[in-house]
Each structure stands twice: as C-alpha cells, then as structure tokens.
Amino acid sequence: MDREMLYNIIYALAAENGREAALFGNCAPYAREAFLRSLVGDAFPELWFEIPLAGNPWFDFHALVSRKDVAEGQSTFAGYGGRHADALAWFAAQSPMSVRQLALSFDTHAHDLEHPAVQLLLGKRDMSVALGFLEVVGRLDAKDSYRTFVESIPREWYACYVGTFPGRETLGANKWVRVECIVGDVLQRAYANDAAKLREHLALVGLGTLCDSAMADIQDLARTPFPLEFQFNVGPDGKALPTLSASARFQPADWDNASRQNVIGRLAGWLQSRDLADGRCALLPQTVFAKRVTRGDFSTNIYCYPAFVKLRWREGMSPDAKAYLIAGIQGEDLRQRKDRRYGS
C-alpha cells in the first residue's frame, strides 16, 4: 500500500461523519500535497493537524521524520532542496540521543506550500545541537539570541524545540526563532499555586508584564494533570517577543482513561466558557482511533488522537485556542505507544 493511500485513509477517518466541515475546512488538497512534498526515503512521517477551536474551520499541517527514518542516509525531501535538504542531511548525521524529529510545517490554511517552516525536536540538553541546526538552516543571526534566551530560562525548564519560519519570521524590524520549553512537574505544581513565581520566571525571558487574566489562564492549565509547555518567539536580543503560547499535552492513554477524559471534558468546557472554543471541542474525542490496515501482504497499525490544546496570547489581543491531532502508522498497539516527541 503506498503512502499516499495510507495518508488518505488516516485523514478520511479523522474527518468522517461531518468532521471535515466542522474541524478541517477546505485545506485537505493543500495538506495532501504538503504531505507528498515531505516524504523521505521509504518512511511514513508523523502527521500533525493544527486546528483552531473557534471561528472559521481550517488547519495547518506538519510532517515529522524521526532520526531512525533517516538513519540509513535518506537525506532528501520529496519536494524541497536547498536549506531543507541541508537540514535533513545534518539531522541524519546527528547522534540519536541528541535529536528526535525534524519537521516541515505548512501554512496550509493560507495555501502556502513554498515556505515551510523547519523545526528541530531535541533529545538531550545540548546547546551545540540547536546552534548547529540554526547554522545549517541559514539563521546564523539567531545563534547568539538563542544562546542568550536558553541561558536565561529557569534551570528546570527543558528547551525541547527550536523552529524557523521563513514565511513568518519578520515582525516589523525583528527576526525571530521559536523555542518551546517543557516546564517540568515541580515548577508546574509551583505555578498552579503561586502566580508570583510564574510571573518571576516569565520575567526572566522578557514577559513579566503579561496581563493578569493570561496569568490566571496559565495557572488553570497548570492545575490539570497534563504536562505544561510554553512556546516563545525569541527576538534578536534573546528576549521573548510579546507572544506567548501555553499548552497542555495529552498521551494516547489519556483517551482510554475515564477520569482523564473527564478532566479533558472540563478543560473543554472551560475553554467554551471563555469563548475560546465552540462546539467543535466535542468532536475532538471522535478523532481518536487505532486501527489495523491490511492489504495483501501489507499490514500496519494507524492511529490518531488529540495531543495538545494550546492557548496563545498576543500583545493587545484576546487569546485564541487550538488543538493538535497527531496521527501516523506504527507496529505496536497505540495504548503502548510512548510519546516519541520527547523520548519519554
């Protein structure tokens, strides 16, 4: 069975029973083309569907390859050369302990397939790996600002991701790179109970004047049993620009656990009460599946589940909310799957 057919099956299952119109909008043709342009060797990438939880339905598309996918020297994306190919070749040469996944991310809602973002998901804490990535994707200008930023964050945070967005990186006169940080259990519990500690730590990266309502929202996310993560757009001075995202991360097993599902349901209700989400929240659990696909001698498991809910605050604007579905193929049962994104 070819990879395009597998992709079509996964998307069809996620979007069936009216969910395409409600969740995905009219982006499917662009996402399918983005998928085909992101293929490497014989690997099937991990798929991310980024979906807003209010307003007009649309989605952006992300394709992630693992270090294992390119371990045998497969170093060319189907649709992109230049810096994208350089980044993939560099990724293939890294230690399996240092890197986890490399992503191409597409603004499919804007029908833009020519300027995919390139993102590195890191393994162990190693500043030199992230700096090497920035160099190979042509962002020498960002190496000092990245170093300054990571050296300023609380030592408990883990900078797990660095991304460059060629189609979006200019905000006024500022160039930026995106950095994501896992907060960790200890500080998540601290933030849930101590707004002053949360504000103190955000001030370290330049966001100490975040409004009180945003602080309260982050504390509400921190009180859930789901890991809390922050995303920052880091400017030339090594400080975060006035955009902050905070997300709660789910595991596949959370969707099999009644008590966890109840917590997710309460989180959805909270988003709706804030007018950050509408009725499409109720459709997210319907996208969960783990099925076996067999055709002739070919057989594999396919899966899909909502993995993140993310809130984003931009200076002077009300927050918005998104969900991310993760989908793909694998050999083991979904309930046994660990999150490859962070190697946990």
Side-chain angles (χ1 to χ4, degrees):
M1 184 179 297
D2 67 33
R3 287 174 288 181
E4 183 176 6
M5 183 176 293
L6 278 172
Y7 172 88
N8 290 340
I9 292 170
I10 289 170
Y11 177 79
L13 288 171
E16 68 181 351
N17 297 326
R19 290 191 295 273
E20 181 168 49
L23 294 177
F24 295 95
N26 63 359
C27 300
Y30 305 97
R32 184 182 299 107
E33 176 62 23
F35 167 79
L36 294 173
R37 294 189 183 195
S38 304
L39 296 177
V40 175
D42 296 325
F44 191 95
E46 185 173 84
L47 316 175
W48 290 31
F49 302 98
E50 176 184 349
I51 297 170
L53 293 177
N56 292 328
W58 53 263
F59 72 96
D60 284 337
F61 176 77
H62 314 254
L64 294 80
V65 294
S66 72
R67 174 62 182 72
K68 182 179 178 182
D69 291 336
V70 298
E72 297 179 358
Q74 300 287 348
S75 57
T76 304
F77 287 109
Y80 302 97
R83 290 175 179 172
H84 299 86
D86 291 344
L88 191 60
W90 172 90
F91 178 70
Q94 301 309 299
S95 161
M97 297 299 294
S98 297
V99 297
R100 294 293 175 184
Q101 291 171 296
L102 187 74
L104 293 185
S105 297
F106 299 83
D107 289 338
T108 44
H109 78 283
H111 305 170
D112 182 5
L113 303 182
E114 302 306 321
H115 307 96
V118 189
Q119 301 152 320
L120 176 68
L121 283 62
L122 293 153
K124 66 181 181 180
R125 298 172 189 252
D126 188 339
M127 175 97 62
S128 65
V129 174
L131 296 178
F133 166 77
L134 289 171
E135 183 170 342
V136 79
V137 296
R139 290 300 310 273
L140 286 167
D141 63 295
K143 292 175 69 174
D144 286 343
S145 58
Y146 177 86
R147 183 186 293 108
T148 298
F149 177 84
V150 173
E151 288 176 347
S152 73
I153 64 177
R155 60 181 178 81
E156 296 90 345
W157 290 12
Y158 167 38
C160 64
Y161 154 112
V162 56
T164 66
F165 292 73
R168 295 194 239 161
E169 278 165 357
T170 300
L171 297 177
N174 290 326
K175 295 273 283 182
W176 53 269
V177 294
R178 181 161 295 169
V179 180
E180 182 163 343
C181 297
I182 300 172
V183 166
D185 293 342
V186 173
L187 282 185
Q188 181 169 337
R189 289 192 294 270
Y191 296 158
N193 297 301
D194 188 348
K197 175 65 72 174
L198 173 60
R199 189 175 292 281
E200 173 192 343
H201 284 181
L202 290 175
L204 295 175
V205 299
L207 292 176
T209 59
L210 200 66
C211 67
D212 290 343
S213 63
M215 297 287 290
D217 289 342
I218 295 170
Q219 285 192 283
D220 283 338
L221 284 178
R223 293 183 185 110
T224 73
F226 309 112
L228 177 68
E229 303 175 13
F230 292 139
Q231 276 188 352
F232 306 92
N233 294 339
V234 178
D237 61 354
K239 295 294 186 181
L241 298 175
T243 295
L244 170 67
S245 296
S247 60
R249 173 165 57 98
F250 312 127
Q251 296 290 346
D254 293 329
W255 298 96
D256 286 330
N257 182 299
S259 63
R260 289 293 181 101
Q261 287 187 53
N262 288 337
V263 176
I264 295 171
R266 290 196 294 274
L267 177 59
W270 172 71
L271 292 172
Q272 289 179 276
S273 73
R274 297 282 319 283
D275 292 326
L276 301 179
D278 55 29
R280 74 191 73 179
C281 273
L283 299 178
L284 293 178
Q286 298 176 27
T287 66
V288 178
F289 63 79
K291 297 179 180 291
R292 190 151 194 86
V293 175
T294 301
R295 183 176 184 182
D297 294 334
F298 174 85
S299 184
T300 192
N301 294 319
I302 60 173
Y303 66 89
C304 181
Y305 69 100
F308 292 89
V309 165
K310 182 172 84 173
L311 273 66
R312 178 181 60 180
W313 297 267
R314 290 181 285 188
E315 188 175 40
M317 301 179 66
S318 299
D320 55 26
K322 297 178 181 178
Y324 290 74
L325 309 182
I326 290 182
I329 69 171
Q330 63 179 52
E332 70 270 26
D333 187 280
L334 174 59
R335 293 171 180 81
Q336 302 302 315
R337 179 180 182 270
K338 295 183 178 181
D339 193 337
R340 290 190 296 136
R341 186 179 184 208
Y342 305 115
S344 59

